[in-house]
């Protein structure tokens, strides 16, 4: 039976963060009942066309999924378990914001079946939290982490670094504090200016500057060093975990396995009878719900992905992983050999420069290669 | 009108430095003689091209026929031949002057004589012109009429006591200019009954009328319907239209001796109209030809490449169209590893180059890269063969070269004496040899021999900046001389970038090599792989810079399953690479070449 990772998008936030380009909306009153009903209907719709699947993970992302009622989360998990064959060790993650967390809600999510929580801490420094537009303070963040550790078997949190004027020493300091709070997984992202965000406008106006590529590289190297001292290793470009503690859901993306995405703005890659399809739901929550209510699904795009594009996507995602791409799995998934998908001259140049390694089993980017992966991909991928 | 006796014809040109008021004066003359109605008068009627109007220069010769009732009560035909003022167009000037008997020398009464004026005045003297000095802008507070008169006498050796003092701008004393033309210039000579002899002064392509030839009749009559013969090419054509410019085109029945005008004669291409040829009657031909013109020879060459490779065809067509109206520029196909397909183009000088480039951009909407201008070298091979080299990239291996000759110029530079020191230093830096140094009041005139390749390299701009814009400059070609010249190749990751190679004197090779490597280092963005930039003479590296590999370039967060977007970004990145040129593992954005070449190579 083919595996499936399930992504459920909750598109609401209390406020829009200035760096965030995810599909999130601020509403005076969130229409919980309507949204949950639509999610349930869309889940059933998706299950009907996917057929029997081994469900390996569920991920509640957003937006701010910790704004969902724990009872609603329980309903959706129960639906998923009923529609698919959940693996015994299924990973069920919910993203949470330190502001919307209190002990009661956390217990509620745990009781609903969530066994992993990912907290959007972003920083442990007040000035940075203010700059990033976060509504919580460092104290709330620490409290949320500690609470999460008591309640959930697995927990991760996010930090954003390479912020304007952030020094190497400051970051090491902040990161060490974070590592002392962490369990066995952390997501450590360098700040990226995404088009269309408030930061994009402010950055273009010159209100702040980001570290140059050299400082960015130094910060990245320092991050790896500090995390390693706490036993967390970079299994993906921005994700650090102890062995076995990797996010199984995110691994499904990076390994280019099937994942279904439901909810406003969610993306999916699903194998149907006539091939692999890219799916995309309408971004506006109310329009999405209308569509679901009318047609069973809020999908606005269902595009077949050609073998060549599958190969390209598998490369884009797979080389982010430390372990790289399993060549046999790549061929089985895309129907193409890796050599049909990459430029051989660029491969040779990247191997010579120490950016890529390739043997009979796998193709992977070295630590140096992962730091420059966008440029590597630009020359490598056909 | 067509039977005007030669005694009532005056043919003249106007010689002036840029900005000294030639076009304004021409406009006044046209206005005063009623060539155009007030409504038709646009500023600077004769400069048709936008470029001419904007830069205040004349590129192509034009004629205007003025009808003037003089104080003696007689009506005269005054043919004004408007000529280019810049040295690059000296060839056009000499043609125009050959069609006239006299010139107005227009000098700005506040500025005085400039270097460019000199060369053209000397050409007019060589053409046996009667010259009438005209002092313009006498209304300006800074005008110093006695000083400028003195200067004309001292520098040019012309009697300026009878100079006509005017203000073309305000219209002051313009009738005196018309009167001086009648009374002081000689009438043309010519025999109306002799076989036709007319000088072909210029030709151009008009999209409605086809090829138009500008002519000056010496003997006989040129009539509509007549079958004419081009004496040099032997081609014969029936004349379709005969006429004059007033400056509007006005058809006439014929043109007699001393007259200037145009003909159209079902001539297919401008190439069939050899400028300087003698036009005669096909059935009653003249026996001997008029003295023609020396053909123009391009002295500066550069490569022109479309920034967008898809524009190559458009560039070819555009060059073809420009060439129809400007036989003095040459082009041949060229391929560059760095810049793709383009053309190697030859020009009369740097201004000519700039103008053609600007016209291509403006009139034909082309985005172009021009390589550094190069002069024409003569390569003497060890086997005794000699060849001309237009492109540094084509320079043969040093082992087969016996020696190289380079073109020299004789330059006249006029400059206020406070800036003279700086100008002399510049000339000496550029391997100049002083020929003469004279003073006129507080202005000095330095005459230098200079290698032309030192002048195409950033000379004008330096001269302008060190003299705060006061120096004026003019030159004439002055033969070839052997030079210790080397080709400097620029290598990116060991691969030569043909478009950036250049030839320089050995004494400056290293400095220039270092400078271009330094510039490229700043212009080429960091990339996935380390980049070595080298300047080399033959196999010897004379300068080197390294651009380190970029340290970090990766999307931090790739999540949420939106792979399509990531794929689109990759496609965009790949699309961007089409504008890059590959050198080994390195891709250099074309914009970097553009910038490197803009910065005076």
């Amino acid at each position: 039976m083919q595996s499936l990772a399930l992504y459920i998008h909750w598109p609401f936030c209390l406020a829009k963060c200035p760096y965030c380009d995810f599909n999130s909306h601020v509403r005076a009153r969130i229409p919980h009942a309507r949204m949950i009903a639509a999610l349930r209907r869309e889940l059933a719709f998706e299950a009907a066309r996917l057929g029997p699947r081994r469900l390996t993970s569920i991920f509640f992302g957003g937006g701010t999924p910790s704004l969902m009622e724990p009872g609603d989360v329980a309903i959706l998990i129960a639906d998923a378990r009923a529609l698919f064959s959940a693996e015994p060790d299924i990973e069920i993650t919910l993203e949470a914001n330190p502001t919307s967390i209190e002990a009661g809600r956390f217990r509620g999510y745990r009781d609903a079946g969530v066994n992993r929580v990912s907290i959007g801490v972003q920083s442990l420094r007040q000035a940075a939290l203010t700059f990033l537009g976060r509504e919580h303070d460092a104290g709330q963040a620490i409290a949320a982490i500690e609470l999460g550790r008591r309640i959930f078997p697995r927990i991760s949190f996010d930090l954003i670094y390479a912020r304007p004027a952030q020094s190497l020493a400051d970051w090491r300091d902040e990161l060490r504090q974070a590592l002392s709070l962490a369990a066995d997984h952390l997501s450590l992202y360098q700040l990226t200016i995404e088009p269309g965000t408030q930061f994009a406008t402010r950055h273009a106006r010159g209100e702040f500057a980001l570290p140059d590529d050299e400082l960015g590289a130094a910060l990245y190297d320092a991050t790896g060093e500090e995390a390693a001292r706490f036993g967390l290793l970079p299994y993906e470009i921005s994700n650090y975990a102890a062995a076995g503690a990797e996010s199984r859901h995110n691994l499904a993306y990076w390994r280019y396995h099937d994942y279904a995405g439901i909810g406003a703005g969610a993306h999916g890659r699903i194998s149907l009878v006539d091939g692999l399809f890219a799916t995309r739901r309408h971004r506006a929550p109310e329009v999405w719900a209308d569509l679901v209510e009318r047609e069973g699904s809020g999908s606005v795009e269902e595009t077949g992905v050609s073998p060549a594009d599958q190969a390209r996507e598998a490369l884009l995602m797979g080389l982010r992983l430390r372990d790289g791409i399993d060549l046999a799995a790549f061929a089985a998934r895309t129907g193409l050999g890796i050599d049909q998908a990459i430029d051989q001259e660029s491969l040779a140049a990247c191997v010579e420069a120490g950016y890529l390694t390739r043997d009979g089993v796998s193709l992977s980017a070295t630590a140096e290669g992962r730091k420059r992966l966008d440029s590597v991909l630009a020359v490598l991928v056909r | 009108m067509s039977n005007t006796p030669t005694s009532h014809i005056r043919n003249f040109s106007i010689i002036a430095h840029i900005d000294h008021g030639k076009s304004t004066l021409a406009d006044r003359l046209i206005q005063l003689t009623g060539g155009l109605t007030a409504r038709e008068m646009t500023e600077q009627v004769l400069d048709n091209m936008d470029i001419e109007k904007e830069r205040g220069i004349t590129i192509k010769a034009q004629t205007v026929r003025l009808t003037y009732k003089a104080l003696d009560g007689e009506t005269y035909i005054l043919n004004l031949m408007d000529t280019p003022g810049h040295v690059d167009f000296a060839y056009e000037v000499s043609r125009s002057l050959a069609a006239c008997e006299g010139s107005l020398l227009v000098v700005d009464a506040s500025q005085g004589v400039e270097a460019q004026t000199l060369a053209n005045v000397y050409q007019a003297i060589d053409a046996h012109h009667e010259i009438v000095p005209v002092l313009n802008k006498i209304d300006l507070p800074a005008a110093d009429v006695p000083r400028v008169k003195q200067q004309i006498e001292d520098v040019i050796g012309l009697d300026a006591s009878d100079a006509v003092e005017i203000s073309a701008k305000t219209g002051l004393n313009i009738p005196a200019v018309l009167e001086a033309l009648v009374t002081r210039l000689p009438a043309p000579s010519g025999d109306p009954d002799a076989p036709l002899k007319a000088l072909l002064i210029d030709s151009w392509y008009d999209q409605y009328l086809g090829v138009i030839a500008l002519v000056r009749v010496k003997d006989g009559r040129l009539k509509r319907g007549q079958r004419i013969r081009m004496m040099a090419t032997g081609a014969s054509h029936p004349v379709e239209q005969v006429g004059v410019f007033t400056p509007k085109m006005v058809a006439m029945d014929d043109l007699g001796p001393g007259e200037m005008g145009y003909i159209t004669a079902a001539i297919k291409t401008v190439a069939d109209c050899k400028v300087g040829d003698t036009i005669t009657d096909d059935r009653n031909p003249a026996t001997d030809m008029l003295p023609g013109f020396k053909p123009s020879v391009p002295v500066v060459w550069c490569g022109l490449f479309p920034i967008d490779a898809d524009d190559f065809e458009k560039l070819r067509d555009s060059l073809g169209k420009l060439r129809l109206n400007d036989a003095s520029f040459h082009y041949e196909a060229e391929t560059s590893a760095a810049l793709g397909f383009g053309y190697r183009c030859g020009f009369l000088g740097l201004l000519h180059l700039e103008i053609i480039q600007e016209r291509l951009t403006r009139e034909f909407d082309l985005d172009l890269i021009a390589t550094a201008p190069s002069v024409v070298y003569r390569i003497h091979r060890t086997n005794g063969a000699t060849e001309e080299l237009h492109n540094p990239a084509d320079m043969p291996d040093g082992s087969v070269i016996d020696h190289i000759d380079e073109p020299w110029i004789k330059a006249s530079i006029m400059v206020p004496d406070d800036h003279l020191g700086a100008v002399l230093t510049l000339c000496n830096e550029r391997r100049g040899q002083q020929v003469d140094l004279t003073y006129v009041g507080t202005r000095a005139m330095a005459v230098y021999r200079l290698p032309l390749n030192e002048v195409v390299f950033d000379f004008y701009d330096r001269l302008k900046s060190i003299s705060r814009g006061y120096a004026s400059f003019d030159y004439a070609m002055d033969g070839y001389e052997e030079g210790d010249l080397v080709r400097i190749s620029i290598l990116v990751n060991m691969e030569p970038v043909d478009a950036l190679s250049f030839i320089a004197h050995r004494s400056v090779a290293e400095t220039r090599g270092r400078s271009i490597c330094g510039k490229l280092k700043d212009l080429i963005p960091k990339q996935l792989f380390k980049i070595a930039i080298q300047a080399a003479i033959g196999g010897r590296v004379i300068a080197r810079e390294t651009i380190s590999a970029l340290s970090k370039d990766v999307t931090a967060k790739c999540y949420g399953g939106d792979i399509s977007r990531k794929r689109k970004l990759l496609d965009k990145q790949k699309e961007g690479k089409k504008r890059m040129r590959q050198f080994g593992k390195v891709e250099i954005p074309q914009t970097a070449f553009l910038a490197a070449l803009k910065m005076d190579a």
Side-chain angles (χ1 to χ4, degrees):
Chain A
M1 205 188 296
Q2 200 172 353
S3 70
L4 182 75
L6 174 64
Y7 178 76
I8 300 174
H9 192 78
W10 186 256
F12 301 106
C13 284
L14 293 178
K16 184 89 190 162
C17 296
Y19 56 86
C20 176
D21 71 333
F22 283 10
N23 186 33
S24 67
H25 304 263
V26 178
R27 295 284 182 271
R29 240 193 99 254
I30 298 172
H32 283 275
R34 186 180 182 204
M35 289 296 139
I36 297 302
L39 280 172
R40 296 185 68 185
R41 188 153 172 213
E42 191 166 54
L43 180 57
F45 177 95
E46 208 69 348
R49 62 174 175 173
L50 285 166
R53 293 292 185 119
R54 274 187 302 117
L55 189 61
T56 54
S57 63
I58 303 173
F59 195 103
F60 291 91
T64 309
S66 54
L67 295 175
M68 296 171 84
E69 292 304 326
D72 290 340
V73 172
I75 290 170
L76 288 166
I77 292 173
D79 279 3
R81 284 181 170 277
L83 291 163
F84 301 106
S85 313
E87 298 218 316
D89 60 343
I90 183 172
E91 173 191 282
I92 302 176
T93 307
L94 180 129
E95 286 184 324
N97 244 3
T99 32
S100 51
I101 283 166
E102 17 117 347
R105 288 183 85 81
F106 258 16
R107 290 224 168 72
Y109 295 131
R110 180 69 191 103
D111 293 343
V114 173
N115 54 25
R116 183 175 180 272
V117 70
S118 172
I119 304 176
V121 169
Q122 315 313 358
S123 175
L124 296 172
R125 298 284 175 268
Q126 191 49 52
L129 288 169
T130 307
F131 171 72
L132 293 168
R134 302 297 289 182
E135 298 202 320
H136 62 267
D137 59 30
Q140 281 174 302
I142 292 165
I145 295 165
E146 286 172 347
L147 183 65
R149 290 192 65 164
R150 285 203 299 275
I151 292 173
F152 293 95
R154 297 173 64 199
I155 173 181
S156 176
F157 61 88
D158 295 1
L159 294 178
I160 294 176
Y161 70 107
R163 306 183 297 250
Q166 188 179 30
S167 77
L168 212 51
D170 285 350
W171 169 236
R172 280 188 191 269
D173 203 44
E174 183 181 352
L175 179 57
R176 274 184 212 133
Q177 191 193 345
L179 284 158
S180 69
L181 294 164
D184 51 10
H185 191 284
L186 279 181
S187 297
L188 306 169
Y189 299 110
Q190 291 209 351
L191 177 59
T192 310
I193 304 302
E194 300 292 350
T197 59
Q198 195 200 106
F199 269 6
T201 317
R202 290 170 54 191
H203 186 251
R205 276 204 299 254
E207 284 183 27
F208 61 86
L210 295 183
D212 61 16
D213 75 314
E214 272 168 54
L215 180 54
L219 286 163
Y220 185 80
D221 291 342
T223 304
E225 281 167 33
E226 296 296 337
R229 290 184 15 195
F230 282 78
L232 302 190
L233 298 172
Y235 69 100
E236 190 264 356
I237 282 160
S238 304
N239 284 277
Y240 299 78
E246 298 87 358
S247 159
R248 293 176 62 191
H249 184 82
N250 284 334
L251 278 175
Y253 296 148
W254 294 317
R255 289 180 178 153
Y256 203 52
H257 293 166
D258 263 22
Y259 57 93
I262 64 165
H267 290 258
R269 287 289 180 282
I270 48 172
S271 304
L272 298 175
V273 226
D274 39 356
L276 181 69
F277 281 80
T279 65
R280 182 169 61 83
R281 271 28 178 193
H282 200 289
R283 282 176 69 88
E286 293 78 9
V287 181
W288 165 80
D290 283 344
L291 285 169
V292 175
E293 285 155 11
R294 265 205 322 269
E295 295 165 23
S297 158
S299 200
V300 287
E301 191 187 308
E302 308 260 316
T303 317
V305 186
S306 70
D309 278 343
Q310 289 179 36
R312 303 171 79 204
E313 294 191 341
L315 278 163
L316 293 182
M317 300 306 275
L319 287 177
R320 298 183 65 84
L321 292 170
R322 177 193 52 213
D323 296 341
I325 292 168
D326 181 281
L327 300 184
F330 181 91
R333 175 64 160 174
T334 66
L336 292 174
I338 195 95
D339 291 326
Q340 291 170 271
I342 59 178
D343 179 72
Q344 293 301 315
E345 252 178 74
S346 299
L347 173 66
C350 287
V351 168
E352 190 198 311
Y355 296 151
L356 293 175
T357 57
R358 148 111 202 237
D359 55 30
V361 179
S362 66
L363 171 71
S364 54
T366 62
E368 289 304 300
R370 291 199 299 277
K371 265 195 290 192
R372 303 163 171 92
L373 190 63
D374 289 358
S375 294
V376 169
L377 289 169
V379 299
L380 186 72
V381 177
R382 274 216 242 250
Chain B
M1 232 163 102
S2 60
N3 286 315
T4 312
T6 53
S7 61
H8 283 63
I9 297 173
R10 299 291 182 272
N11 295 319
F12 70 103
S13 61
I14 305 178
I15 294 166
H17 183 71
I18 182 170
D19 286 341
H20 280 198
K22 179 185 69 172
S23 298
T24 317
L25 174 59
D27 290 352
R28 288 290 175 203
L29 296 178
I30 294 165
Q31 208 176 12
L32 216 63
T33 54
L36 288 176
T37 63
R39 191 175 56 81
E40 289 168 322
M41 285 299 293
T42 59
E43 229 180 298
Q44 299 181 354
V45 176
L46 294 182
D47 291 340
N48 278 329
M49 289 188 248
D50 285 346
I51 277 192
E52 293 184 316
K53 287 206 171 90
E54 274 168 38
R55 296 192 171 210
I57 54 172
T58 303
I59 297 165
K60 296 292 287 183
Q62 295 204 47
T63 62
V64 187
R65 179 183 173 115
L66 311 170
T67 308
Y68 172 61
K69 193 156 194 277
L71 295 179
D72 63 10
E74 302 285 319
T75 297
Y76 291 83
I77 297 299
L78 308 178
N79 288 310
L80 161 60
M81 182 99 211
D82 190 29
T83 60
H86 192 273
V87 57
D88 281 2
F89 307 106
Y91 171 68
E92 304 241 355
V93 174
S94 71
R95 277 161 27 191
S96 315
L97 294 177
C100 305
E101 287 77 37
S103 294
L104 297 176
L105 166 63
V106 178
V107 179
D108 183 321
S110 61
Q111 303 277 320
V113 175
E114 297 289 355
Q116 278 165 26
T117 325
L118 282 179
N120 289 345
V121 169
Y122 291 140
Q123 282 205 45
I125 293 170
D126 287 347
H128 309 294
H129 273 201
E130 188 64 41
I131 296 166
V132 176
V134 175
L135 299 189
N136 191 18
K137 307 193 189 182
I138 59 161
D139 56 318
L140 291 186
D144 186 347
V145 171
R147 183 183 65 84
V148 174
K149 279 187 176 177
Q150 188 62 46
Q151 200 194 19
I152 291 172
E153 288 178 11
D154 292 347
V155 178
I156 306 175
L158 278 178
D159 179 6
S161 55
D162 290 338
V164 189
E165 297 165 26
I166 64 160
S167 168
K169 194 172 150 210
T170 64
L172 176 72
N173 220 12
I174 303 300
V177 176
L178 290 165
E179 205 49 33
L181 287 168
V182 170
T183 56
R184 290 167 64 177
L185 295 192
S189 57
D191 180 354
D193 302 318
L196 171 67
K197 250 195 220 177
L199 183 64
L200 204 165
I201 303 165
D202 201 359
S203 66
W204 60 89
Y205 186 83
D206 180 283
Q207 57 171 325
Y208 302 110
L209 299 170
V211 174
I212 297 174
L214 185 63
V215 297
R216 156 74 201 268
V217 179
K218 294 282 186 183
D219 292 320
R221 306 198 76 83
L222 184 51
K223 299 176 208 132
R224 193 176 61 213
Q226 183 180 16
R227 194 160 188 91
I228 53 163
R229 186 194 299 174
M230 307 288 190
M231 290 183 78
T233 65
S236 75
H237 307 273
V239 175
E240 287 174 344
Q241 212 187 101
V242 176
V244 296
F245 296 100
T246 69
K248 289 178 291 188
M249 284 177 100
V250 177
M252 315 264 290
D253 291 330
D254 62 358
L255 292 171
E259 289 192 288
M260 273 186 213
Y262 69 86
I263 57 167
T264 64
I267 305 166
K268 292 240 162 42
T269 70
V270 173
D272 294 336
C273 270
K274 189 169 159 284
V275 165
D277 204 346
T278 303
I279 299 171
T280 190
D281 187 283
D282 192 44
R283 270 168 297 182
N284 179 24
T287 48
D288 54 328
M289 289 174 62
L290 296 165
F293 307 123
K294 278 182 289 179
S296 68
V297 182
V299 296
V300 177
W301 290 77
C302 81
L304 293 179
F305 295 86
I307 284 180
D308 184 345
D310 295 343
D311 277 347
F312 175 75
E313 303 272 308
K314 193 170 160 194
L315 173 61
R316 187 182 56 198
D317 295 348
S318 307
L319 287 171
K321 281 181 192 150
L322 277 186
R323 164 96 183 156
L324 281 179
N325 283 335
D326 185 354
S328 60
F329 106 91
H330 295 239
Y331 63 99
E332 54 205 38
E334 183 186 5
T335 315
S336 155
L339 303 174
F341 292 102
Y343 284 94
R344 191 86 194 156
C345 302
F347 306 93
L348 299 174
L350 286 172
L351 181 69
H352 190 210
L353 179 157
E354 223 178 288
I355 283 165
I356 294 286
Q357 216 181 312
E358 203 170 319
R359 290 187 63 187
L360 287 168
T361 310
R362 203 186 285 199
E363 294 169 30
F364 298 95
D365 196 25
L366 281 163
D367 279 338
L368 297 175
I369 296 183
T371 63
S374 168
V375 304
V376 178
Y377 297 96
R378 285 192 191 140
I379 309 269
H380 297 270
R381 290 191 180 243
T382 46
N383 66 6
T386 302
E387 64 200 47
E388 291 206 330
L389 182 74
H390 294 163
N391 187 348
D394 297 337
M395 183 152 133
D397 186 73
S399 62
V400 302
I401 298 175
D402 182 71
H403 67 279
I404 304 173
D405 291 339
E406 63 177 326
W408 282 66
I409 58 164
K410 193 166 164 184
S412 311
I413 302 167
M414 299 203 68
V415 61
D417 57 8
D418 5 339
H419 301 300
L420 179 65
V423 169
L424 298 185
T425 306
L426 174 66
C427 290
N428 292 332
E429 276 170 13
R430 299 302 174 92
R431 299 191 279 140
Q433 301 165 353
Q434 198 180 89
V435 177
D436 196 11
L437 182 61
T438 49
Y439 286 90
V440 183
T442 58
R443 287 172 69 85
M445 187 169 90
V447 179
Y448 263 81
R449 291 191 74 241
L450 284 157
L452 182 60
N453 83 349
E454 299 286 345
V455 175
V456 300
F457 182 82
D458 184 33
F459 186 85
Y460 285 130
D461 290 346
R462 286 289 311 283
L463 182 68
K464 256 185 240 158
S465 84
I466 60 172
S467 69
R468 301 222 190 109
Y470 283 114
S472 64
F473 170 84
D474 188 31
Y475 70 88
M477 299 304 292
D478 196 30
Y480 274 74
E481 259 177 43
E482 185 176 341
D484 187 5
L485 300 163
V486 288
R487 181 180 65 191
I488 293 100
S489 310
I490 302 298
L491 299 100
V492 171
N493 276 4
M494 310 306 282
E495 294 206 24
V497 183
D498 52 5
L500 295 178
S501 64
F502 60 98
I503 291 171
H505 194 259
R506 194 179 297 277
S507 61
V508 296
E510 215 170 299
T511 323
R512 287 192 197 156
R514 262 203 305 277
S515 135
I516 194 162
C517 287
K519 281 170 191 164
L520 283 171
K521 185 183 173 168
D522 295 339
L523 291 167
I524 299 175
K526 281 187 179 181
Q527 302 188 18
L528 185 55
F529 305 107
K530 189 172 78 177
I531 305 170
I533 301 166
Q534 295 169 307
I537 301 173
R540 190 169 63 88
V541 174
I542 55 167
R544 184 193 169 93
E545 294 279 357
T546 305
I547 301 172
S548 57
L550 58 80
S551 316
K552 188 169 181 298
D553 174 29
V554 60
T555 308
K557 196 162 186 169
C558 187
Y559 152 93
D562 185 2
I563 311 179
S564 310
R565 181 167 142 200
K566 177 112 173 93
R567 207 176 75 209
K568 275 177 204 143
L569 284 175
L570 183 80
D571 289 342
K572 218 163 128 189
Q573 221 172 341
K574 287 203 169 289
E575 188 58 34
K577 283 181 180 297
K578 286 193 186 157
R579 289 215 151 188
M580 310 271 244
R581 299 293 176 177
Q582 186 94 30
F583 291 89
K585 291 183 291 182
V586 177
E587 275 150 338
I588 301 182
Q590 238 173 9
T591 47
F593 286 113
L594 194 62
L597 290 166
K598 272 245 165 74
M599 292 159 93
D600 301 304

